[in-house]
Amino acid sequence: MPKLKTLQIVWHGKEPVYSLDFHPNGLLVTSGADKEIKIWKVLKDTEGYPTVEHTGSLTGHSKTVNCVRVSPNGKKIVSAGDGGELLLWTPQEQVLAGNLVSEEEAQAGWRRAAVLRGHTDDVMDLAWSVDGTAMLSGSIDNKSMIWEISEKKMGSMVAHFANHKHFVQGVAWDPLQQFVVTQSADRTCKVYALRPPPASKKNKNKSKKSDMPASASSKEFYCSHTMSKRIVGSSSGEGQPQRQALFHDESLPSFFRRPSWSPDGSFLIVPAGVYRADVGSAEQNTAYLYARGKWASPVAHVPGQPKPVVSVKFCPILFERDEDVDPPKPFELLPYKIVYAVATLDSIILYDTSSSLPIAAFSQIHFDSITDIAWSRNGDYLAISSRDCFCSIIAFEKDELGQRMDPAKIPQHINAVMQPLRYSDKETNEKLSIEPGCSGKENNTAQKTETAVMSTEKAKGKRKRITATPVDMPENTPIDLTAAAAAATPTTRAPTPPVSGQKEKRRITPVPIEKPSTSESAQKQTFGMNIAALAAAAGQNEAGKNPCE
């Protein structure tokens, strides 16, 4: 069973924790409203519950730090804050404290390498390219920007997009480096694709733009599609179909809408979704899944969430498919299983691609809204940050999420993405794995807090396949991955002790919505695995359009 602990220690003073991410060597990096970035060593106690030890702090920001992300190879950290602050950090063996470097920063082993100037207001989200040569940022100045992160041009802006009409609250970079995605409070999610080269004999022998470093190809991104509405019919069949918004408006009670790509690049999952089965039905909170290159309509969604979805994150590990289990559409052609986490304002729900049912759900974790989630690079931990000043960590035992897939069985182009460059230098790894106590402060020992955990039985015959689609959708309709956490069997039930001065929250369980009927045309659709061909076709068909105006 997953072991979750809400670590009630002093993370960022008494200030909210807005973001977190894992370093490839296992260190946890967090940021918050205390203007600092903190580094933690994640351990397990004698009972297998996660605990942390503080190892260092970075204090270069002058305002709240809204997001922190570690590069795929672990050689850089980028942090974003209020007022457009963007700082790039690199490891340093010997950093001397001085006018520009605090004592804690010097002891942490990281130094400020560059200040990225371009945004004029708060930066809310960040995303690295898989090769670590470029980074994408989104801000409430309604703009998103791409920055080159190389030795020659450390932190220079190479592209900027001003297509949104409201705050940009989430960004994501395709693992295959062919798309970038931005999500905004204007109720849209925009996809930017690499502009296809003109068809000529001169370009036949040239390498693909997606094979180039992201810093070199980023100038070729153009807005290829805007995801904003879908057609909804009437349950009675009378009246004209209507176009309904896919996402929440600016009244969403969260600063963040953080989308995520699957590790193989096959799927994009977008949070802050709203779903109606028909014109007269009530809105349901959901997250939408899009197949790569098929942006006209979502292929699936996960409704039934009691609160809006604010962040989603795929586990970076691929697993073997479960025996004698037929995955639902659109995952039936995947040769492996993928696990992903959906974070609402007050709960975490885990899904995998082998079933429509969730595999686990966690509620009553925090007393304020969840802000961010992050998987460790080896898939052993899932970390959660919250505005209530605390973080939680879920620890998974070996093969608890599934049997890890042999890299030899993974397609070569996917395996290259799944195995990004990491430090091989033992000395460098030792330098980054800072020993506890180097910050000059006492280490914080995490206190275990029992929480309510619901897990769905995965024995043979216990899972029910659900492949429902909305009414009167002509093509590519979203499949109703009903959040059946209500059917999950609660294994433990011990409410988290309330924080002083706050009332204890009631347990809220996701309620599944009624399954609409499946149209004949939707049943005939399949999802091809040739993702490179899908991307190329999408780019060629939409290159002459400008849907973002």
Side-chain angles (χ1 to χ4, degrees):
M1 181 198 307
K3 295 185 176 180
L4 182 148
K5 182 193 290 185
T6 300
L7 305 170
Q8 295 185 356
I9 61 174
V10 180
W11 287 87
H12 288 265
K14 296 182 179 180
E15 301 294 336
V17 185
Y18 285 128
S19 183
L20 40 68
D21 197 14
F22 277 96
H23 191 279
N25 62 14
L27 292 177
L28 178 64
V29 185
T30 63
S31 66
D34 64 344
K35 311 173 188 177
E36 293 188 2
I37 301 162
K38 295 184 181 291
I39 303 174
W40 311 82
K41 190 174 183 179
V42 182
L43 306 168
K44 287 185 179 180
D45 60 19
T46 56
E47 298 180 3
Y49 283 88
T51 182
V52 296
E53 294 177 353
H54 180 240
T55 65
S57 298
L58 307 180
T59 57
H61 283 272
S62 62
K63 298 180 180 180
T64 296
V65 186
N66 299 314
C67 188
V68 61
R69 294 290 183 261
V70 182
S71 64
N73 60 11
K75 294 183 178 180
K76 298 177 180 67
I77 295 175
V78 63
S79 55
D82 286 357
E85 287 185 340
L86 267 173
L87 299 183
L88 184 66
W89 308 81
T90 56
Q92 184 82 357
E93 292 186 3
Q94 294 182 351
V95 181
L96 301 178
N99 294 334
L100 299 178
V101 180
S102 66
E103 183 177 352
E104 281 194 344
E105 186 178 332
Q107 293 173 340
W110 292 81
R111 68 179 182 88
R112 282 166 286 177
V115 178
L116 285 60
R117 304 184 187 278
H119 286 293
T120 58
D121 216 328
D122 306 353
V123 181
M124 307 310 295
D125 202 16
L126 304 166
W128 283 95
S129 63
V130 72
D131 63 2
T133 64
M135 186 270 301
L136 174 65
S137 61
S139 168
I140 66 173
D141 61 7
N142 304 356
K143 297 179 181 178
S144 52
M145 300 181 182
I146 296 180
W147 310 82
E148 180 175 350
I149 312 296
S150 63
E151 298 300 330
K152 294 182 178 180
K153 295 182 179 180
M154 187 71 72
S156 62
M157 184 176 63
V158 296
H160 74 279
F161 312 109
N163 304 109
H164 284 291
K165 299 178 181 179
H166 212 311
F167 304 157
V168 180
Q169 297 178 311
V171 295
W173 203 307
D174 168 28
L176 302 183
Q177 300 189 164
Q178 296 176 348
F179 303 100
V180 294
V181 174
T182 62
Q183 190 172 6
S184 170
D186 63 5
R187 312 189 80 171
T188 68
C189 179
K190 295 186 183 294
V191 179
Y192 298 85
L194 289 176
R195 193 177 302 277
S200 65
K201 295 182 179 180
K202 295 181 180 180
N203 294 320
K204 285 186 177 180
N205 297 326
K206 290 187 177 180
S207 60
K208 297 180 181 179
K209 293 179 181 178
S210 58
D211 295 333
M212 300 168 58
S215 57
S217 62
S218 296
K219 297 180 181 179
E220 299 299 322
F221 280 116
Y222 74 101
C223 187
S224 64
H225 200 87
T226 298
M227 299 175 287
S228 60
K229 295 184 178 181
R230 54 181 285 267
I231 300 175
V232 177
S234 173
S235 58
S236 63
E238 300 177 358
Q240 295 295 326
Q242 298 181 7
R243 291 175 60 84
Q244 298 287 339
L246 285 168
F247 307 107
H248 279 281
D249 58 17
E250 67 275 6
S251 64
L252 178 74
S254 174
F255 296 130
F256 312 105
R257 308 175 187 224
R258 289 170 162 157
S260 177
W261 284 90
S262 61
D264 62 348
S266 298
F267 295 95
L268 170 72
I269 183 167
V270 185
V274 290
Y275 172 78
R276 289 178 183 266
D278 53 65
V279 175
S281 63
E283 285 187 347
Q284 299 284 334
N285 296 308
T286 189
Y288 287 106
L289 281 88
Y290 286 84
R292 181 183 189 83
K294 297 185 177 181
W295 312 120
S297 180
V299 294
H301 70 126
V302 285
Q305 318 303 337
K307 297 289 184 68
V309 179
V310 296
S311 182
V312 288
K313 196 63 65 74
F314 279 91
C315 178
I317 304 298
L318 299 180
F319 300 93
E320 296 279 357
R321 289 180 56 165
D322 296 334
E323 296 181 0
D324 302 328
V325 174
D326 295 327
K329 291 182 179 180
F331 308 121
E332 72 274 17
L333 296 181
L334 284 177
Y336 36 72
K337 182 177 69 176
I338 308 175
V339 177
Y340 58 98
V342 175
T344 70
L345 288 172
D346 64 354
S347 61
I348 301 292
I349 304 174
L350 299 183
Y351 293 86
D352 64 30
T353 56
S354 66
S355 173
S356 301
L357 300 178
I359 58 177
F362 306 86
S363 61
Q364 286 193 346
I365 304 173
H366 293 280
F367 295 95
D368 208 334
S369 60
I370 292 172
T371 56
D372 199 8
I373 53 177
W375 290 89
S376 61
R377 304 297 174 92
N378 57 11
D380 289 345
Y381 298 102
L382 176 65
I384 305 121
S385 62
S386 171
R387 284 178 52 85
D388 67 357
C389 312
F390 299 117
C391 295
S392 299
I393 300 179
I394 305 173
F396 300 95
E397 297 177 358
K398 183 179 179 182
D399 296 335
E400 188 167 18
L401 295 174
Q403 183 179 357
R404 304 195 178 202
M405 193 169 189
D406 184 355
K409 299 180 181 179
I410 303 175
Q412 184 177 0
H413 66 288
I414 299 299
N415 200 28
V417 176
M418 297 293 297
Q419 302 292 333
L421 295 175
R422 281 167 170 73
Y423 283 127
S424 58
D425 189 312
K426 181 178 180 181
E427 182 179 352
T428 306
N429 262 325
E430 290 177 352
K431 174 175 67 63
L432 293 177
S433 301
I434 309 167
E435 292 299 325
C438 68
S439 65
K441 295 183 178 180
E442 291 183 333
N443 294 329
N444 296 303
T445 304
Q447 302 297 326
K448 181 176 73 174
T449 302
E450 294 183 353
T451 59
V453 179
M454 297 186 299
S455 63
T456 303
E457 296 183 57
K458 299 186 64 178
K460 294 182 180 180
K462 294 294 182 70
R463 306 185 95 183
K464 182 179 179 181
R465 179 172 178 177
I466 301 176
T467 55
T469 55
V471 177
D472 296 332
M473 288 293 290
E475 60 179 13
N476 219 7
T477 58
I479 298 167
D480 187 357
L481 301 182
T482 305
T489 303
T491 56
T492 62
R493 182 69 172 90
T496 305
V499 177
S500 177
Q502 296 186 5
K503 296 182 179 180
E504 183 177 357
K505 297 178 69 176
R506 293 185 305 166
R507 177 170 180 159
I508 301 176
T509 304
V511 179
I513 67 171
E514 183 178 356
K515 180 178 70 174
S517 61
T518 306
S519 63
E520 180 181 355
S521 59
Q523 294 176 350
K524 297 180 180 180
Q525 294 178 357
T526 58
F527 172 63
M529 292 305 298
N530 190 350
I531 51 183
L534 282 174
Q540 292 287 354
N541 293 336
E542 299 175 354
K545 303 178 182 179
N546 188 7
C548 294
E549 290 185 349

